[in-house]
Amino acid sequence: MRALITGASSGLGRDFAIKLSNIGYDLVLVSRNKEKLEELKGKLKTNVIVEAMDLSIKENVYKIYNKYQNKIDFLINNAGFGECGDFNKIPLENELNMIDLNVVCLHILTKLFLSDFVKKDEGTILNVASLAAFEPGPLMATYYSTKSYVYNLTMAIYEELRRKKSNVKIHVLCPGPTDTGFNERAHVHFGVKSLTSDYVTSYTLKKIKLKKLLIIPNIRMKASVFFVRFAPRKLLLKMVYNIQERKLK
Ligand SMILES: NC(=O)c1ccc[n+]([C@@H]2O[C@H](COP(=O)([O-])OP(=O)(O)OC[C@H]3O[C@@H](n4cnc5c(N)ncnc54)[C@H](OP(=O)(O)O)[C@@H]3O)[C@@H](O)[C@H]2O)c1
């Protein structure tokens, strides 16, 4: 069995790599930082191939698929980043780069590997979204929107597969604050206690085994999704704005 993990050089992707290797998966690890990927490879006991590349560049995403077409059993679309600030101030280039990574790369890999999986009627895809998928995100507008896309895309594909009684599995992980390199890149500090990446990845792999479609790592996070569903939209916007504003301070 072989898994391909995007964004494997740190945080959730790194921990998924360690855990999957520990249960016998060979791995293809993709992200930009070759040194970090090689350092991780040195710690793992299964066969690991390192692909150091920028996945916000579409040609690289196709290169990855063309190289590993029909050679992957488990795809983890994890690479992603956020940026906090006023929509009117964040440079457009940064946002387009975020959309290219969080949305376009994930879309292409999901589409192409899914077609391989459907042909052999087996395979698993895990798409990493966020709690941000469930609401609009003032002061992090583009990031929240990208994660809504990931959530909705995954849900829709799940239903299509289910109707066909396919053995291909698709899951969406929606974590809240988790202690990784995410904050540093987004230039923020979480105002609430975060989970460890070790906990989130263990929990996720357990839920995948149980064939759970939507994976939300703890009860507090599940409660917040429940609240969001029923809260008046304008109240929700004010609350999210305040949370994000606190993160910027
Ligand atoms: N941490 C949280 O609180 C949290 C909450 C909800 C959702 N998430 C989601 O979880 C996923 C993983 O993030 P994380 O929290 O583990 O953060 P992280 O530690 O910053 O990891 C992000 C990974 O993505 C890779 N990456 C970034 N830009 C890339 C690019 N252009 N091309 C290829 N790889 C790239 C990074 O590696 P390189 O720098 O080596 O490229 C790194 O391996 C993201 O999709 C994030 O949105 C995180």
Side-chain angles (χ1 to χ4, degrees):
M1 298 289 269
R2 188 195 247 174
L4 188 151
I5 306 173
T6 69
S9 64
S10 75
L12 296 171
R14 188 176 193 278
D15 277 322
F16 277 126
I18 293 168
K19 292 187 168 75
L20 289 179
S21 177
N22 285 344
I23 56 170
Y25 272 87
D26 291 334
L27 300 171
V28 179
L29 305 179
V30 197
S31 75
R32 294 166 305 172
N33 192 319
K34 190 165 197 248
E35 263 175 37
K36 281 192 185 173
L37 292 175
E38 290 290 356
E39 181 263 340
L40 175 59
K41 177 181 173 172
K43 292 191 165 154
L44 304 176
K45 294 195 179 72
T46 50
N47 293 318
V48 177
I49 300 173
V50 158
E51 297 284 0
M53 58 172 68
D54 186 339
L55 290 172
S56 65
I57 299 168
K58 224 187 274 174
E59 292 68 35
N60 287 341
V61 183
Y62 285 114
K63 257 187 222 163
I64 284 291
Y65 174 70
N66 290 335
K67 193 162 170 190
Y68 296 102
Q69 180 175 11
N70 291 316
K71 292 177 186 150
I72 298 299
D73 307 287
F74 188 177
L75 167 67
I76 303 188
N77 277 314
N78 164 76
F81 73 96
E83 183 158 349
C84 209
D86 196 300
F87 181 73
N88 201 28
K89 296 213 176 106
I90 294 176
L92 178 60
E93 272 315 301
N94 299 11
E95 291 178 329
L96 294 179
N97 187 248
M98 191 193 303
I99 293 167
D100 284 339
L101 183 66
N102 296 13
V103 173
V104 178
C105 164
L106 178 140
H107 185 108
I108 294 171
L109 292 180
T110 299
K111 179 119 183 146
L112 298 180
F113 281 109
L114 183 75
S115 77
D116 291 353
F117 293 174
V118 166
K119 273 182 217 135
K120 61 178 179 169
D121 197 28
E122 65 177 332
T124 302
I125 298 176
L126 171 67
N127 286 337
V128 180
S130 165
L131 283 189
F134 301 103
E135 60 208 333
L139 295 184
M140 233 180 167
T142 307
Y143 177 71
Y144 275 54
S145 303
T146 66
K147 293 303 178 177
S148 294
Y149 184 93
V150 174
Y151 170 78
N152 284 310
L153 181 77
T154 310
M155 288 284 163
I157 296 170
Y158 164 83
E159 182 58 13
E160 292 180 8
L161 292 170
R162 193 185 68 79
R163 295 281 175 132
K164 291 184 197 116
K165 299 194 174 11
S166 172
N167 286 316
V168 178
K169 299 285 176 278
I170 193 158
H171 310 265
V172 60
L173 168 63
C174 295
T178 309
D179 196 12
T180 63
F182 181 85
N183 271 353
E184 205 181 306
R185 179 129 191 227
H187 306 112
V188 294
H189 298 281
F190 291 136
V192 294
K193 197 168 174 279
S194 42
L195 297 176
T196 65
S197 165
D198 180 50
Y199 171 80
V200 172
T201 50
S202 294
Y203 182 92
T204 303
L205 293 176
K206 266 187 227 150
K207 294 295 168 184
I208 286 176
K209 241 183 165 176
L210 296 171
K211 303 194 171 107
K212 293 280 178 205
L213 162 63
L214 171 60
I215 303 169
I216 301 174
N218 78 358
I219 191 78
R220 189 166 45 86
M221 292 175 183
K222 284 187 183 117
S224 80
V225 173
F226 187 76
F227 170 78
V228 163
R229 205 172 287 160
F230 298 105
R233 292 296 96 178
K234 287 199 174 162
L235 171 67
L236 193 61
L237 289 172
K238 281 181 196 155
M239 288 175 70
V240 178
Y241 186 98
N242 290 339
I243 292 169
Q244 297 305 339
E245 195 181 35
R246 251 180 274 135
K247 277 202 221 163
L248 278 169
K249 282 175 186 161

